[in-house]
Each structure stands twice: as C-alpha cells, then as structure tokens.
Amino acid sequence: MLPTASVPAADRRQNTATAVLDTLLSHGATHFTGVPCSLLKGLFRLLESAERPAAYLPAPREDTALGTASGLALAGARPVVLMQNSGLGYSLNVLTSFNLIYDVHLPLIVSWRGHDGNDAVEHDVIGRELPRLLDVFGLPWTVLDPDRPAESTEEFLAAHDSGRRTSVLVVREGI
C-alpha cells in the first residue's frame, strides 16, 4: 500500500468513504438517509451509484431524514443518518422531543463545517461549538480519522451499540 502522502487526495477521500461504508454495512446497516453535504460527497456518491450496496432515501431536510430513519428503526431496520452540523442544529428538536426520550437511537454521520474557522460564515458558530453541543445533549461522538477510517467507524458504532445510544461520527475532512 502506498504511503498516505503519495495517494492523490481524491483517491484518499474515496478510499476513506469506502472504508466507512464497508464498516457500516458489515455491522448491519440496511438503510441510509440524509441531506447531501460537500464534506460527505464520497459517501453520497457511493450510496447514489447504480451499484449501491444498501437502500438510500434522500431527504429534503434533516428532520425528515431523522423521521424516516426513526420509522425504519422501529420497523426493525438499521438506518444511518447523514447531515452537516448545521442540519444537526436544525434537528435538535426532533432528537430531544422524540429520539432521545423514546429511545429511538440512531447512528448519525455529521460533517463538521466551520471547525477551523475557514468556511462560510454561517458555519462559524456551530463549527466552533459542535463538541460542546454534542456533550450537552449527551451524544457520544467520534471524530473520523482519515488514516484509520474503519477503526474510527468501529469506535463510533461501539458507542452506538453500547446501550443503543444515538451517537455521532464527526467528519472533519471531506470524504
């Protein structure tokens, strides 16, 4: 295998997305839903491909994605929700008034827009506050390590599966 530095960035991102998706599928993920984000485009590209490995249900809004995934989970499926961090902020009412109080826990993959203060201005506040926000709501979180994508995803799933808790895989770099 080539050292990370010698792998083109686009190939590295796609390899990371593939490793994340393969790990989710190996742990029983059956459905994916969410609102596209440029930092998650590699995952969305895989899910939208003709050879897609699982059902993908695009959502117009993050609260709709949570509702869709919640219904699937209650029916026995293992859905995963994808969104950017501004969408997480938008969805906190759904999470707190339904998912967290009725124990309908979902694995969430959330892009971390604005984490470095180098993004569109609308991402500055939530980008700066995302870790504290997740902690306030008791959502265990793991930052995806692009050098260890499968292991990071395993850690995230372990947090989710321990007591079936809503947990978050935070994606800081585009995949």
Side-chain angles (χ1 to χ4, degrees):
M1 181 154 196
L2 294 172
T4 302
S6 63
V7 176
D11 290 344
R12 183 171 185 229
R13 285 190 299 272
Q14 197 58 46
N15 291 342
T16 301
T18 300
V20 169
L21 183 59
D22 288 348
T23 304
L24 292 165
L25 293 170
S26 73
H27 282 266
T30 58
H31 295 77
F32 294 81
T33 185
V35 178
C37 171
S38 62
L39 292 181
L40 302 175
K41 70 182 171 187
L43 276 173
F44 281 104
R45 187 176 295 123
L46 292 169
L47 294 169
E48 293 170 346
S49 73
E51 303 84 35
R52 69 179 156 259
Y56 168 60
L57 306 164
R61 295 178 5 171
E62 293 81 1
D63 57 347
T64 303
L66 285 170
T68 299
S70 296
L72 287 164
L74 291 171
R78 296 225 20 178
V80 177
V81 179
L82 297 92
M83 65 178 74
Q84 67 181 20
N85 54 350
S86 60
L88 177 67
Y90 180 75
S91 299
L92 286 174
N93 185 51
V94 174
L95 283 168
T96 60
S97 65
F98 180 73
N99 295 91
L100 298 179
I101 63 171
Y102 292 109
D103 295 325
V104 181
H105 297 294
L106 303 168
L108 309 177
I109 299 177
V110 176
S111 64
W112 194 353
R113 304 287 307 263
H115 68 88
D116 58 2
N118 232 359
D119 206 326
V121 68
E122 64 268 18
H123 299 295
D124 286 349
V125 174
I126 197 155
R128 182 179 60 243
E129 302 298 333
L130 182 62
R132 284 194 287 218
L133 181 70
L134 296 171
D135 290 343
V136 163
F137 287 96
L139 301 172
W141 53 281
T142 304
V143 175
L144 177 68
D145 180 347
D147 293 326
R148 307 174 36 252
E151 294 86 351
S152 297
T153 306
E154 293 273 355
E155 292 169 20
F156 152 68
L157 291 170
H160 173 70
D161 290 336
S162 68
R164 295 289 296 158
R165 299 175 62 195
T166 294
S167 61
V168 181
L169 180 63
V170 177
V171 178
R172 188 172 26 210
E173 299 175 29
I175 59 172

